Amino acid sequence: MKRVADRLVIAGVGLIGGSLALALRARGVVGEVIGLGRSAENLRVARRRGIIDRTERDPERAGRGVDLVLVAVPVQAIAPVLGTLVAGLPANAVVTDAGSVKGPVVAAAERVLGESAGRFCGSHPIAGTEHSGAAAALVDLLEGRRCILTPGALTTSPTRRRVHALWEAAGMRVEEMPARAHDRVFALVSHLPHVAAYALVNAVADADRAGPRRALAYAAGGFKDWTRIAASSPEMWRDICLANRDEVLAAIDGFGAAVERLRVAIAQGDGAALMAELTRAQSTRRRLGTAPATKAPRLRARRGARRSRGR
Ligand code: NAP
């Protein structure tokens, strides 16, 4: 397979940045990988696990001589982090990100890059777990999963091709989508489920405080399956909710209306209405099929032996 980068900088060597580096290294399609980050401890883990070759504390120096940059930090930090790197970047360096929100991220990245905005193409790899940091990175996390690219009007064709090749080299199925369409779709199928899972956990914990017996002590498959994603990074999800505010609010409103239809049917003892709502959801869900297969990670992560996949 062809090399995708001679020197790659990963700003934010966490679950996504770390997993991409592991996948590229396993396939031998990347030269040197430089890690840029916030805490020295996470970068030490990345180094120890062989995710990166070296770390660089000074962002401007990190950018020198690189031909590809991935910014994989929480969404609101993407443009500011890119801003610290940009002065050191050679003219031929291509830049992408991994943010779960695209419209505002692409716009902010283009503002930061100014005249060289053609070198940027937004990405969102549709893969993940509820774990964070370099310790959670998995060599096959991205394999066989979708990656959505959201090239802007300024993105050049060579940039687009390089970013396609980057994710494809990690085994991903790449497709393109306008950033606005992306943000609406993922507000519904990713951001809303996370908000709902966090809310469900809090609702049950709050009710628990009032009750004589701890309900959470009896939480089993249904509760744990639905709320697994509420163990995700609050920092990451704060940023996603705020960056995609309007779409997330619209999704929450739609969800609220659906819950209210169920509440009214239950309150009125309206079995027919309840059956109609439940049957419609059952057939929609069954048409979706099962979640993507979860393969055992080939590289053992530092924390936790078993990890669930999928967003
Ligand atoms: P993560 O595991 O928490 O990794 C993020 C890394 O960024 C951390 O190692 C963190 O360093 C570093 N970081 C945070 N703020 C920083 C800053 N201001 N400057 C420099 N480094 C900073 O998160 P992730 O899951 O990989 O997510 C990264 C990006 O991918 C996010 O934009 C997210 O929306 C997107 N994404 C996530 C998933 C998912 O399922 N997790 C899926 C697709 C896309 P420290 O460890 O030192 O704090």
Side-chain angles (χ1 to χ4, degrees), residues 11-17 36-39 42 72-75 77-78 81 98-100 124-129 131-134 233 235-236 240 311:
V13 194
L15 174 71
I16 299 298
L36 190 68
R38 186 166 53 178
S39 73
N42 185 63
V73 298
V75 163
I78 291 173
V81 166
S100 306
H124 179 197
I126 311 300
T129 73
H131 303 286
S132 304
S233 157
E235 181 187 27
M236 185 173 111
I240 291 170
R311 307 288 313 276

Side-chain angles (χ1 to χ4, degrees), residues 159-222:
T159 297
R160 218 158 152 162
R161 279 197 297 274
R162 294 263 331 261
V163 178
H164 263 264
L166 171 71
W167 298 106
E168 277 168 2
M172 301 199 83
R173 295 180 287 129
V174 177
E175 64 182 81
E176 292 189 3
M177 207 184 267
R180 272 191 78 167
H182 168 280
D183 290 350
R184 180 184 165 272
V185 165
F186 289 94
L188 288 167
V189 297
S190 172
H191 310 169
L192 174 62
H194 280 80
V195 168
Y198 284 117
L200 177 62
V201 172
N202 284 343
V204 174
D206 290 347
D208 244 5
R209 270 195 277 280
R213 194 181 279 268
R214 297 269 301 154
L216 279 175
Y218 295 87

Side-chain angles (χ1 to χ4, degrees), residues 27-46:
R27 290 167 166 84
V29 293
V30 68
E32 189 182 32
V33 182
I34 302 164
L36 190 68
R38 186 166 53 178
S39 73
E41 174 52 21
N42 185 63
L43 292 173
R44 256 196 299 278
V45 173

